[in-house]
């Protein structure tokens, strides 16, 4: 792996170049800096080996985290371009001309006003896949409205499914909307469009809206709803906490165990190990599910989480301890697989999924804004990026 050298407070430091091995090695991606699902999607492409160049704006993207800790910018390189400056858009178009994929997450019409919209980019590179990441989508009554993950999943019915029936809907961080309904659908979309572009020579625009993706995630449940197998309310169904053998239970030390003993053979092992085989009402008698839940809850309260973990260790009862973010990396299974990795002093999830022939890795830490201008300008053949680095009249060399 080669390096570039940049200045730090202590002098020169080596910064690993990010292009590396992986199934997307050789694919060039331009990411117009934003927050949330766009950067995460670009990180996934970078984890898979793509050469991702993040175009940061002067002053940063406004995320309330120090750049060195923003792991969604790992495996990338960064240049700084002021898109509102006279020659700023031209620098981005130069990059787009040499790229396979471009990702932006502005409100509809903003990229066009800045001079880097799909039409301008495709005029320079007809094969370009232009990925657009928004919450509401490129069209529709709410397209120009501001929003965040929670509002997007609220309108799709997804948020309303999560939580206890007698409590407000539970907020699943930003995982269901931003990342599952947004980032992952954008990645699927741009990779499908890239396949098409390589087969036909024609690029296209990918409109990835979080509302579309979050709704799509619930496809199976909509089918169950239509068939009468799902009630349109929280905590009343097989997979939403309504079922007493699919949920979480508090232990004696205030921790929790997760139970997913849906199938009969797994349920039989569950109640035997829990020690309620003789007193538990029939799992098929829905009218007694409340009684069954109380029996299970009372039993779990008699031991600590670690004690119950030991009881269910090695079984097929489908029971697991609910771990915290700091606890998870040390779990024996996750540690054996290397599900988490340490890089630059930050414990973080390793790239996923895994490939037998094109292995992936965390090759570099979060890209510092503007740290790779010279490398990218040289390797991508975009000297215009260096214009901001050249001293003006009267400045020293």
């Amino acid at each position: 792996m080669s390096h570039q050298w940049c200045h730090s407070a202590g002098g020169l430091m080596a910064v690993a170049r990010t292009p590396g091995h992986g199934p997307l090695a050789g694919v060039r991606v331009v990411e117009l800096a934003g927050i949330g699902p766009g950067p995460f999607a670009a990180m996934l492409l970078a984890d898979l080996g793509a050469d991702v160049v993040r175009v940061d704006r002067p002053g940063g993207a406004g995320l309330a985290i120090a750049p060195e800790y923003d792991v969604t910018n790992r495996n990338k390189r960064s240049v700084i371009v002021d898109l509102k400056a006279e020659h700023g858009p031209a620098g981005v178009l130069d990059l787009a001309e040499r790229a396979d994929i471009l990702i932006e997450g502005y409100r509809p019409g903003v990229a066009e006003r800045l001079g880097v919209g799909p039409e301008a980019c495709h005029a320079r590179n007809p094969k370009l896949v232009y990925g657009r990441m928004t919450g509401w989508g490129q069209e529709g009554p709410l397209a120009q409205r501001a929003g965040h993950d929670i509002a997007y999943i609220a309108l799709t019915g997804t948020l309303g499914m999560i939580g206890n029936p007698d409590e407000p809907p539970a907020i699943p961080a930003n995982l269901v909307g931003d990342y599952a309904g947004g980032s992952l659908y954008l990645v699927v979309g741009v990779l499908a469009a890239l396949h098409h572009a390589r087969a036909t020579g024609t690029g296209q625009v990918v409109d990835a809206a979080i509302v579309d993706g979050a709704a799509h995630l619930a496809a199976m449940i909509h089918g169950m709803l239509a068939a009468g197998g799902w009630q349109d309310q929280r905590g009343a169904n097989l997979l939403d906490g309504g079922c007493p053998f699919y949920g979480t239970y508090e232990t004696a030390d205030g921790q929790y165990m997760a139970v997913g003993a849906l199938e009969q053979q797994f349920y039989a092992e569950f109640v035997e190990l829990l020690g309620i085989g003789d007193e538990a009402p029939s799992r098929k008698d829905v009218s007694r599910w409340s009684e069954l839940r109380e029996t299970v809850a009372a039993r779990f309260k008699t031991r600590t989480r670690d004690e119950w973990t030991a009881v269910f260790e090695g079984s097929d009862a489908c029971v697991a301890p609910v771990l915290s973010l700091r606890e998870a990396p040390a779990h024996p299974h996750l540690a054996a697989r290397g599900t988490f990795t340490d890089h630059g002093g930050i414990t973080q999830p390793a790239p996923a999924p895994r490939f037998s022939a094109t292995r992936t890795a965390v090759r570099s830490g979060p890209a510092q804004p503007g740290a790779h201008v010279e490398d990218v300008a040289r390797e991508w053949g975009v000297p215009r990026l260096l214009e901001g680095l050249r001293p003006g009249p009267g400045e020293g060399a």
Side-chain angles (χ1 to χ4, degrees):
M1 178 182 292
S2 61
H3 295 77
Q4 77 165 29
W5 296 88
C6 67
H7 290 279
S8 69
L12 288 174
M13 59 179 284
V15 179
R17 286 175 47 195
T18 59
H21 299 291
L24 295 184
V27 173
R28 285 180 167 179
V29 179
V30 175
E31 174 199 353
L32 302 186
I35 59 174
F40 186 81
M43 182 206 77
L44 179 51
L45 295 172
D47 281 356
L48 299 182
D51 181 6
V52 177
V53 172
R54 178 178 168 93
V55 180
D56 280 299
R57 66 192 72 176
L63 186 64
I65 182 176
E68 59 267 27
Y69 291 101
D70 186 2
V71 297
T72 64
N73 284 328
R74 72 187 185 190
N75 287 340
K76 303 177 184 178
R77 297 191 284 184
S78 169
V79 300
I80 291 180
V81 175
D82 185 355
L83 283 170
K84 296 183 179 179
E86 181 180 359
H87 300 294
V92 171
L93 293 177
D94 286 347
L95 289 169
E97 183 177 344
R98 295 154 176 80
D100 299 290
I101 298 168
L102 183 145
I103 289 174
E104 62 94 355
Y106 303 135
R107 290 198 204 188
V110 171
E112 284 84 349
R113 291 196 294 272
L114 291 172
V116 294
E119 185 175 349
C121 288
H122 282 144
R124 297 282 293 273
N125 181 1
K127 296 182 180 180
L128 181 71
V129 172
Y130 195 104
R132 316 198 83 165
M133 182 74 261
T134 60
W136 305 116
Q138 295 298 310
E139 57 189 21
L142 297 179
Q144 292 296 331
R145 290 275 298 276
H148 277 296
D149 174 288
I150 191 169
Y152 308 139
I153 65 174
L155 287 193
T156 63
T158 313
L159 179 61
M161 294 193 305
I162 305 171
N164 294 323
D166 54 348
E167 298 175 1
I171 301 172
N174 68 334
L175 302 179
V176 173
D178 277 354
Y179 290 162
S183 304
L184 297 186
Y185 278 87
L186 176 61
V187 169
V188 169
V190 297
L191 291 182
L194 179 61
H195 175 76
H196 173 264
R198 289 185 166 178
T200 66
T202 304
Q204 60 182 303
V205 176
V206 178
D207 175 7
I210 294 173
V211 290
D212 296 346
H216 193 264
L217 287 169
M220 180 191 76
I221 292 174
H222 277 281
M224 295 173 67
L225 183 66
W230 189 277
Q231 298 184 58
D232 197 10
Q233 55 183 308
R234 288 191 301 283
N237 300 284
L238 194 65
L239 303 176
D240 66 354
C243 172
F245 40 92
Y246 195 89
T248 56
Y249 291 93
E250 188 176 1
T251 56
D253 54 347
Q255 299 296 317
Y256 291 86
M257 297 294 289
V259 177
L262 291 177
E263 291 82 1
Q264 174 58 45
Q265 68 270 31
F266 303 147
Y267 177 80
E269 192 166 355
F270 164 63
V271 294
E272 179 184 352
L273 291 173
L274 191 64
I276 62 169
D278 296 333
E279 56 185 296
S282 172
R283 68 193 295 266
K284 296 181 180 180
D285 188 351
V286 178
S287 67
R288 300 186 67 186
W289 269 10
S290 294
E291 180 184 347
L292 176 57
R293 180 178 290 103
E294 292 174 2
T295 301
V296 172
R299 183 61 178 160
F300 268 119
K301 276 291 193 74
T302 63
R303 297 185 184 182
T304 66
R305 185 189 67 178
D306 289 348
E307 289 173 333
W308 282 120
T309 299
V311 168
F312 289 102
E313 185 73 25
S315 77
D316 277 343
C318 301
V319 177
V322 178
L323 303 182
S324 71
L325 290 174
R326 294 191 183 279
E327 290 177 314
H331 186 275
H333 179 78
L334 304 184
R337 283 186 58 81
T339 299
F340 292 86
T341 187
D342 291 304
H343 191 281
I346 302 175
T347 300
Q348 56 196 281
R354 306 183 185 197
F355 300 85
S356 61
T358 51
R359 298 187 63 181
T360 58
V362 178
R363 305 181 302 278
S364 65
Q368 301 303 291
H372 309 95
V373 176
E374 294 182 0
D375 257 11
V376 174
R378 181 181 66 255
E379 295 175 20
W380 283 45
V382 185
R384 199 189 306 267
L385 295 176
L386 298 174
E387 291 180 1
L389 301 179
R390 293 169 182 159
E395 297 178 343

